[in-house]
Amino acid sequence: MRTTFLLCLWLCAQTLFAQQLSDAAPRNVLYDRAHALAITFQSNGWGFGFDQYYKGKDAYTYWKFNADLQFYRHEKEVKSYFQDPAARAYYYGKQNSFFVARFGWGQTTEFAEKLRKNGVQINRSWQVGPSVGFIKPVYLQIIHPSVTIPGRFDIETEKFNPDEHYTDNIYGRASNLVGLNETKIQMGLFIQASLRFEYSNQELGLRGVEIGATADIYPKRIEIMSQTVLDRYNDHAKNNFIFPAIYTRFFFGSKYNSK
């Protein structure tokens, strides 16, 4: 959280610097559109998405629209394995998988121009929009003594139950497709601020990295981990309703004119 606060403070300082640039003499705009694909690595997950840019009020400003799909993890998720190498790894105590569809609107403003072909252009950017959370129950493969053959065991697919399932009777994770029909939706919103470093050496190319802070906010806690399992930790861990993160986003695309 402290790192997130310091990064946001730094980005605010860059906003003041960007305002000085916008007061400078205008320049000609070669391209009024751009789009890019992106992959994001967050401190609490990962995702991918699509960005679309439209020319703003001057040569230094673009409006940005994007759609992202993010997959979140809880800080207490620890990968576990059964002794059979054919078994899938699982996260003991994980009650639900949580992934998010974001639809953002914002602005990106240049404050360090690319002065040569192999240079770097730096933009500051902000976004806000709805965050649609999908909560899918986790199913596991559970070991049960066979009722027909003494001394043998059967494997059955069951929804995780912290009162019945332990590391000594969990064989592995079931298919991610199991439980999709039980997925619940939770509406929220997200905010985001970042610095973008664009370094493509192609005139029509768009390639770079974006570093920033983001937060998804929901009206209630999202039960990724079973609270029964979390209560066994000495640090009194909880599920969250605010998901702050530091992220790095790699993007590539192209610039073009609408006409």
Side-chain angles (χ1 to χ4, degrees):
M1 290 296 292
R2 181 182 177 184
T3 304
T4 303
F5 173 77
L6 291 175
L7 180 58
C8 291
L9 189 63
W10 180 48
L11 291 172
C12 289
Q14 303 308 319
T15 302
L16 296 177
F17 184 80
Q19 181 62 44
Q20 295 177 353
L21 178 62
S22 65
D23 294 335
R27 66 179 181 183
N28 294 325
V29 178
L30 295 177
Y31 307 103
D32 60 6
R33 298 285 190 276
H35 57 226
L37 297 175
I39 183 168
T40 304
F41 298 97
Q42 293 190 171
S43 53
N44 54 4
W46 69 280
F48 55 88
F50 175 80
D51 300 333
Q52 180 70 49
Y53 301 89
Y54 299 90
K55 176 184 170 297
K57 62 181 180 180
D58 54 43
Y60 302 100
T61 303
Y62 281 81
W63 293 108
K64 178 183 179 182
F65 298 88
N66 83 300
D68 281 347
L69 187 64
Q70 296 289 135
F71 298 88
Y72 278 87
R73 59 177 176 79
H74 193 280
E75 60 182 358
K76 293 299 184 181
E77 288 187 29
V78 177
K79 189 173 289 188
S80 301
Y81 300 88
F82 191 68
Q83 58 263 35
D84 186 348
R88 293 189 181 99
Y90 66 96
Y91 298 94
Y92 179 72
K94 186 170 184 176
Q95 191 80 49
N96 295 290
S97 296
F98 181 53
F99 53 99
V100 171
R102 291 178 182 161
F103 303 94
W105 169 86
Q107 194 176 78
T108 178
T109 303
E110 177 187 334
F111 66 84
E113 185 178 356
K114 183 189 293 185
L115 299 178
R116 60 185 186 277
K117 184 177 181 180
N118 293 321
V120 177
Q121 175 181 305
I122 305 176
N123 289 41
R124 57 94 177 171
S125 181
W126 63 266
Q127 279 187 278
V128 65
S131 179
V132 186
F134 297 89
I135 307 166
K136 187 193 82 66
V138 169
Y139 277 80
L140 300 173
Q141 294 180 310
I142 306 301
I143 302 171
H144 292 283
S146 175
V147 296
T148 57
I149 306 176
R152 299 291 296 272
F153 295 88
D154 296 325
I155 296 177
E156 299 181 7
T157 298
E158 300 176 7
K159 186 186 298 187
F160 175 68
N161 184 337
D163 297 322
E164 298 179 2
H165 303 149
Y166 304 94
T167 54
D168 57 354
N169 67 355
I170 298 175
Y171 179 76
R173 174 177 51 83
S175 169
N176 288 328
L177 298 178
V178 179
L180 272 178
N181 60 323
E182 301 176 54
T183 300
K184 297 180 180 179
I185 295 177
Q186 179 62 65
M187 296 298 299
L189 61 88
F190 82 95
I191 55 175
Q192 195 173 87
S194 64
L195 292 178
R196 299 175 66 254
F197 302 86
E198 199 276 310
Y199 48 79
S200 174
N201 57 9
Q202 303 294 324
E203 182 180 356
L204 296 178
L206 186 66
R207 183 178 64 186
V209 61
E210 179 176 316
I211 301 173
T214 185
D216 293 86
I217 305 169
Y218 298 93
K220 64 179 182 179
R221 296 183 186 274
I222 306 298
E223 190 178 15
I224 296 179
M225 294 290 289
S226 163
Q227 192 58 54
T228 300
V229 174
L230 291 179
D231 289 341
R232 299 170 188 169
Y233 290 93
N234 293 328
D235 59 357
H236 307 290
K238 299 290 185 181
N239 288 295
N240 301 313
F241 64 92
I242 300 177
F243 294 82
I246 300 297
Y247 73 91
T248 301
R249 180 181 176 88
F250 300 93
F251 59 88
F252 60 94
S254 61
K255 307 169 189 175
Y256 61 97
N257 283 314
S258 56
K259 297 180 179 180

